[in-house]
Amino acid sequence: MGEAGYEEMEPPQALVERLKDFRQEQTLALWKELNPQERQLLIKDLESLDLSRVDRIIKQSFLLRDRPIPSPEPVPEASVSTVLERTPEERERWWKMGLKAICEGKLAVVLLSGGQGTRLGSSEPKGCFNIGLPSGKSLFQLQAERILRVQRLAAQSVPDGAGRYIRVHWYIMTSPFTHDATCKFFESRKYFGLESEQVTFFQQGTLPCISKEGRIILETPYQILRAPDGNGGVCAALKSSKCLEDMAMKGIKYIDCYGVDNALVRVADPLFLGYFIDKGVATAAKVVRKAYPQEKVGVFVQRGKGGPLGVLEYSEMDPSMAYAINQETGRLRYNLSNVCLHMFTLDFLTQVTEELEEDSIYHLAEKKMSCVEGPIMGIKLEQFIFDTFPYAPSMALFEILREEEFAPVKNANGHATDTPETSRLLVLHLHTRWVTAAGGFVTHSVPLYSTGVEVSPLCSYVGENLEDICRGRTFHAPSEITT
Ligand code: UTP
């Protein structure tokens, strides 16, 4: 066929009909301008879409966009373990319960690492980011080494344990935007000492970005603009990648699920796991107290008296709610922030995956995006991991201290909060406190608030095991303390 023939070539009739059925025929608007290869690419891209699923998601999400949360109430006290109320005996009991479950191979760790990290602005996946600690370790390495340390603590907790084979399986969710770079990073660094067999990478799905009218947007004249389907996409992705089946086969019962961008995350935390098992709930979340009323964090609420717990985003809170005070405690009434540190039973995660798919309700996130027509405000369709909570038959919250477990890396350096620099300092300050509590001394030639020592996770997980290494010794900050 000559050039003239191509110009007359029409898109496949079946595809045109399907697009019309779902009111997405605008995706072919530039057909006439495309060359043959570009036409093939566009056809392939459009045919790869499950249009009826996308249509269901768009309709459901628009329909329920402004659904009010049934009269949000503060979380009942009985659902929360607070730092103040937690007794040393409880802590010890939960810690041991958690280690026992880890020894029995019942815990898996799921990392949410498919985000595009646009605010941080790094071209690499966020987990590869070096926040500037003396060791130069990436977020991935800090997390891998914490898993290694927990495995060791678990092995030491059983009488015959020293040589026992204890491996915590790590399932790492990537997206098409982070997958190859993440896998290469792990391979080139030899999985940071973990066994490659204990790490499974799986990719989350993407969804087309849409206009305010619910029309699919093109990125180029022959390519749909897509974005990852949110960190709640982990449920569908665990299912489609058969990781849920793999977990069941391995005898895993509990799943620790967290976001990649917290430099202080206690991966596979035995204390939290023990608490979760002891409560016998379907899911649990670690929470921190809100720092100030307008802080841009989601908070836990009860969805109507006696209803399930859920997260209310800061954008959904009016000022009267954000500033409301609990007269008895003098604290904010809605005070428990979600920090993306969760525990699930495998049973609940499997069940909620079906329910989320059936309901197909996604958040409509309006974002600036670049499309074939240039920069526009479009809509990303996203599910969040916390969307699972209202489906849970039971849930418990576990308060943690920010300065011990929450050092988020969201924004590029230069912003006021949640930067690599603020996160680096949170790590150094905590570790300096561990070292001095263990009898060590820290010297520094710049003010201590701007420096500190780093403790390798291979030495210590929560400040344990440091006396032999630190007592009576002096460390000059900044430096790393290793085994
Ligand atoms: P954020 O909501 O902070 O998004 O993700 P982000 O992509 O890291 O950063 P911005 O908003 O583009 O700047 C919280 C956690 O959820 C993961 C992220 O990787 C991070 O661990 N996430 C987010 C996913 O795994 N998939 C997604 O589609 C979105």
Coordinates of all heavy atoms in Angstrom, one line a residue, residues 111-121 125-127 143 173-175 177-178 204-206 227-234 258-262 339-340 367 380-385 409-411, ligand 1:
L111 N 6.7 -3.9 50.7 CA 7.2 -2.5 50.5 C 6.4 -1.8 49.4 O 6.4 -2.4 48.2 CB 8.7 -2.5 50.2 CG 9.3 -1.2 49.7 CD1 9.0 -0.1 50.7 CD2 10.8 -1.3 49.5
L112 N 5.8 -0.7 49.6 CA 5.1 0.1 48.6 C 6.2 1.0 48.0 O 6.6 2.0 48.6 CB 4.0 0.9 49.2 CG 3.0 0.1 50.1 CD1 2.1 1.0 50.9 CD2 2.2 -0.8 49.2
S113 N 6.6 0.7 46.8 CA 7.6 1.5 46.2 C 7.4 1.8 44.7 O 8.3 1.8 43.9 CB 8.9 0.7 46.4 OG 10.0 1.3 45.9
G114 N 6.1 2.0 44.4 CA 5.8 2.3 43.0 C 5.5 3.7 42.7 O 5.2 4.1 41.6
G115 N 5.7 4.6 43.7 CA 5.4 6.0 43.5 C 6.4 6.7 42.6 O 7.5 6.2 42.5
Q116 N 6.0 7.8 42.0 CA 6.9 8.5 41.1 C 7.7 9.5 41.8 O 8.6 10.1 41.2 CB 6.0 9.2 40.0 CG 5.4 8.2 39.1 CD 4.4 8.8 38.1 OE1 3.3 9.2 38.5 NE2 4.7 8.8 36.9
G117 N 7.5 9.8 43.1 CA 8.3 10.7 43.9 C 8.5 12.0 43.2 O 9.6 12.6 43.2
T118 N 7.4 12.6 42.7 CA 7.6 13.8 42.0 C 8.0 15.0 42.8 O 8.8 15.8 42.4 CB 6.2 14.3 41.3 OG1 5.2 13.9 42.2 CG2 6.0 13.6 40.0
R119 N 7.6 15.0 44.1 CA 8.0 16.1 45.0 C 9.5 16.1 45.3 O 10.1 17.1 45.4 CB 7.2 16.1 46.3 CG 5.8 16.6 46.1 CD 5.0 16.3 47.4 NE 4.7 14.9 47.5 CZ 4.1 14.4 48.6 NH1 3.8 15.1 49.6 NH2 3.9 13.1 48.6
L120 N 10.0 14.9 45.4 CA 11.5 14.8 45.7 C 12.3 15.2 44.5 O 13.4 15.7 44.6 CB 11.8 13.4 46.2 CG 13.2 13.1 46.6 CD1 13.6 14.0 47.8 CD2 13.4 11.7 46.9
G121 N 11.7 14.9 43.3 CA 12.4 15.3 42.1 C 13.6 14.5 41.7 O 14.4 15.0 40.9
P125 N 14.3 5.8 41.5 CA 13.2 5.4 42.5 C 13.6 6.0 43.8 O 14.8 6.0 44.2 CB 13.2 3.9 42.4 CG 13.8 3.5 41.1 CD 14.8 4.6 40.8
K126 N 12.6 6.4 44.6 CA 12.9 7.0 45.9 C 13.8 6.1 46.8 O 14.7 6.6 47.5 CB 11.6 7.3 46.7 CG 11.4 8.7 46.9 CD 10.3 8.9 47.9 CE 9.4 10.1 47.6 NZ 8.3 10.2 48.5
G127 N 13.6 4.8 46.8 CA 14.4 3.9 47.6 C 15.8 3.9 47.3 O 16.7 3.5 48.2
Q143 N 16.6 -0.3 54.9 CA 15.5 -1.3 55.2 C 16.0 -2.7 55.1 O 15.6 -3.6 55.9 CB 14.4 -1.0 54.2 CG 13.8 0.4 54.4 CD 12.9 0.9 53.3 OE1 12.4 0.1 52.5 NE2 12.7 2.2 53.2
M173 N 6.9 -3.8 45.9 CA 6.1 -3.4 44.8 C 6.7 -2.2 44.0 O 7.1 -1.2 44.6 CB 4.7 -2.9 45.3 CG 3.8 -2.5 44.1 SD 2.1 -2.2 44.6 CE 2.2 -0.6 45.3
T174 N 6.8 -2.4 42.7 CA 7.4 -1.3 41.9 C 6.2 -0.9 40.9 O 5.1 -1.5 41.0 CB 8.6 -1.8 41.1 OG1 8.1 -2.9 40.2 CG2 9.7 -2.3 41.9
S175 N 6.5 0.0 40.0 CA 5.6 0.3 39.0 C 6.4 0.4 37.7 O 7.6 0.4 37.7 CB 4.9 1.7 39.3 OG 5.9 2.7 39.2
F177 N 7.3 2.7 36.2 CA 8.2 3.9 36.3 C 9.4 3.6 37.2 O 10.4 4.2 37.1 CB 7.5 5.1 36.9 CG 6.3 5.4 36.1 CD1 5.0 4.9 36.4 CD2 6.3 6.3 35.0 CE1 3.9 5.2 35.7 CE2 5.2 6.5 34.2 CZ 4.0 6.0 34.6
T178 N 9.3 2.6 38.1 CA 10.4 2.3 39.0 C 11.0 0.9 38.9 O 12.0 0.6 39.5 CB 10.0 2.5 40.5 OG1 8.9 1.6 40.8 CG2 9.5 3.9 40.7
Q204 N 3.0 -2.9 40.2 CA 1.6 -2.4 40.4 C 1.0 -2.0 39.0 O 1.8 -1.9 38.0 CB 1.5 -1.3 41.3 CG 2.0 0.0 40.8 CD 1.8 1.2 41.8 OE1 2.7 1.5 42.5 NE2 0.5 1.7 41.9
G205 N -0.3 -1.9 38.9 CA -0.9 -1.5 37.6 C -0.8 0.0 37.4 O -0.4 0.8 38.3
T206 N -1.2 0.4 36.2 CA -1.3 1.8 35.9 C -2.8 2.0 35.4 O -3.5 1.0 35.0 CB -0.4 2.2 34.8 OG1 -0.7 1.5 33.6 CG2 1.0 2.1 35.2
A227 N -0.7 6.6 34.8 CA 0.0 6.8 36.0 C -0.3 5.6 36.9 O -1.3 4.9 36.7 CB -0.6 8.1 36.7
P228 N 0.6 5.3 37.9 CA 0.4 4.2 38.8 C -1.0 4.3 39.5 O -1.4 5.5 39.7 CB 1.5 4.3 39.8 CG 2.6 5.1 39.2 CD 1.8 6.0 38.2
D229 N -1.6 3.2 39.8 CA -3.0 3.3 40.4 C -3.0 3.5 41.9 O -4.0 3.2 42.6 CB -3.8 2.1 40.0 CG -3.1 0.8 40.4 OD1 -2.0 0.8 41.0 OD2 -3.6 -0.3 40.0
G230 N -2.0 4.2 42.4 CA -1.9 4.5 43.9 C -1.4 3.4 44.7 O -1.3 2.2 44.2
N231 N -0.9 3.7 45.9 CA -0.3 2.6 46.7 C -1.3 1.5 47.1 O -1.0 0.4 47.5 CB 0.5 3.1 47.9 CG -0.3 3.8 48.9 OD1 -1.5 3.7 49.0 ND2 0.4 4.6 49.7
G232 N -2.6 1.8 47.0 CA -3.7 0.8 47.2 C -3.7 -0.2 46.1 O -4.3 -1.3 46.2
G233 N -3.1 0.1 45.0 CA -3.0 -0.8 43.9 C -2.2 -2.1 44.3 O -2.2 -3.1 43.6
V234 N -1.6 -2.0 45.5 CA -0.9 -3.2 46.0 C -1.8 -4.4 46.1 O -1.3 -5.5 45.8 CB -0.2 -2.9 47.4 CG1 -1.2 -2.7 48.5 CG2 0.8 -3.9 47.7
Y258 N 4.5 -1.1 54.3 CA 4.9 0.2 54.6 C 5.4 1.0 53.3 O 5.7 0.3 52.3 CB 6.0 0.2 55.6 CG 7.3 -0.4 55.1 CD1 8.3 0.4 54.7 CD2 7.4 -1.8 55.0 CE1 9.5 -0.1 54.2 CE2 8.6 -2.3 54.4 CZ 9.6 -1.5 54.0 OH 10.8 -2.0 53.5
G259 N 5.5 2.3 53.5 CA 6.0 3.1 52.4 C 7.5 3.2 52.4 O 8.1 3.2 53.5
V260 N 8.1 3.5 51.2 CA 9.5 3.4 51.1 C 10.2 4.6 51.7 O 11.4 4.6 52.0 CB 9.9 3.3 49.6 CG1 9.6 4.6 48.8 CG2 11.3 2.9 49.4
D261 N 9.5 5.7 51.9 CA 10.1 7.0 52.1 C 10.2 7.4 53.6 O 10.0 8.6 54.0 CB 9.4 8.1 51.3 CG 7.9 8.0 51.5 OD1 7.4 7.2 52.3 OD2 7.2 8.7 50.7
N262 N 10.5 6.5 54.5 CA 10.7 6.8 55.9 C 12.0 6.2 56.3 O 12.2 5.0 56.4 CB 9.5 6.1 56.7 CG 9.6 6.3 58.2 OD1 10.6 6.9 58.7 ND2 8.7 5.7 58.9
V339 N 0.7 7.1 59.1 CA 2.1 7.3 58.6 C 2.5 6.1 57.7 O 3.7 5.9 57.5 CB 3.1 7.5 59.8 CG1 3.0 8.9 60.3 CG2 2.9 6.5 60.9
C340 N 1.5 5.4 57.2 CA 1.7 4.4 56.2 C 2.6 3.3 56.8 O 3.6 2.8 56.1 CB 2.3 4.9 54.9 SG 2.1 3.8 53.5
K367 N -4.1 16.8 39.2 CA -2.7 17.1 39.2 C -2.3 17.8 37.9 O -3.0 17.5 36.9 CB -1.8 15.8 39.3 CG -2.1 14.9 40.5 CD -0.8 14.8 41.3 CE -1.2 14.3 42.7 NZ -0.8 13.0 43.1
K380 N -5.6 11.9 38.1 CA -5.0 10.6 38.3 C -6.0 9.8 39.1 O -6.6 10.3 40.1 CB -3.8 10.7 39.2 CG -2.5 10.9 38.4 CD -1.3 10.7 39.5 CE 0.0 11.0 38.9 NZ 1.1 10.9 39.8
L381 N -6.2 8.5 38.7 CA -7.1 7.6 39.5 C -6.3 6.8 40.5 O -5.4 6.1 40.0 CB -7.9 6.7 38.5 CG -8.9 7.4 37.6 CD1 -9.2 6.6 36.4 CD2 -10.2 7.7 38.4
E382 N -6.5 7.0 41.7 CA -5.6 6.3 42.7 C -6.4 5.6 43.8 O -7.4 6.2 44.3 CB -4.7 7.3 43.4 CG -3.7 7.9 42.4 CD -2.7 8.8 43.2 OE1 -3.2 9.7 43.9 OE2 -1.5 8.6 43.0
Q383 N -6.0 4.4 44.2 CA -6.5 3.8 45.4 C -5.4 4.0 46.5 O -4.2 4.0 46.1 CB -6.8 2.4 45.2 CG -8.3 2.1 45.2 CD -8.6 0.6 44.8 OE1 -7.7 -0.2 44.5 NE2 -9.9 0.4 44.7
F384 N -5.8 4.1 47.7 CA -4.8 4.2 48.8 C -4.8 3.0 49.6 O -5.9 2.4 49.8 CB -5.0 5.4 49.6 CG -4.9 6.7 48.8 CD1 -5.7 7.8 49.0 CD2 -3.8 6.9 47.9 CE1 -5.6 8.9 48.3 CE2 -3.7 8.0 47.1 CZ -4.6 9.1 47.3
I385 N -3.7 2.6 50.2 CA -3.7 1.4 51.0 C -4.7 1.6 52.2 O -5.3 0.6 52.6 CB -2.2 1.1 51.5 CG1 -2.1 -0.2 52.3 CG2 -1.6 2.2 52.3 CD1 -2.3 -1.4 51.5
V409 N 10.7 11.3 53.8 CA 11.5 11.9 52.7 C 10.5 12.2 51.6 O 10.2 11.3 50.8 CB 12.6 11.0 52.2 CG1 13.4 11.7 51.1 CG2 13.5 10.5 53.3
K410 N 9.9 13.4 51.6 CA 8.9 13.7 50.6 C 9.3 14.7 49.6 O 9.1 14.7 48.4 CB 7.6 14.2 51.3 CG 6.9 13.2 52.2 CD 6.1 12.2 51.4 CE 5.4 11.2 52.3 NZ 4.9 10.0 51.6
N411 N 9.9 15.8 50.2 CA 10.3 17.0 49.4 C 11.8 17.1 49.2 O 12.6 16.6 49.9 CB 9.8 18.3 50.1 CG 8.3 18.2 50.5 OD1 7.5 17.9 49.6 ND2 8.0 18.4 51.7
Ligands
UTP1 P1 3.3 9.3 48.2 O1 1.9 9.6 48.3 O2 4.2 10.1 49.0 O3 3.8 9.5 46.6 O4 3.6 7.8 48.4 P2 5.2 9.5 45.9 O5 4.9 8.9 44.6 O6 6.2 8.7 46.7 O7 5.6 11.0 45.9 P3 4.9 12.2 45.1 O8 3.5 12.4 45.7 O9 4.9 11.9 43.6 O10 5.8 13.3 45.4 C1 3.6 7.2 49.7 C2 4.1 5.7 49.5 O11 3.3 5.0 48.5 C3 4.1 4.6 47.4 C4 5.3 5.5 47.4 O12 6.3 4.8 46.7 C5 5.5 5.7 48.8 O13 6.2 4.6 49.4 N1 3.3 4.6 46.2 C6 2.6 5.8 45.9 C7 3.2 3.5 45.5 O14 3.7 2.4 45.8 N2 2.4 3.5 44.3 C8 1.7 4.6 44.0 O15 1.0 4.6 42.9 C9 1.8 5.8 44.7

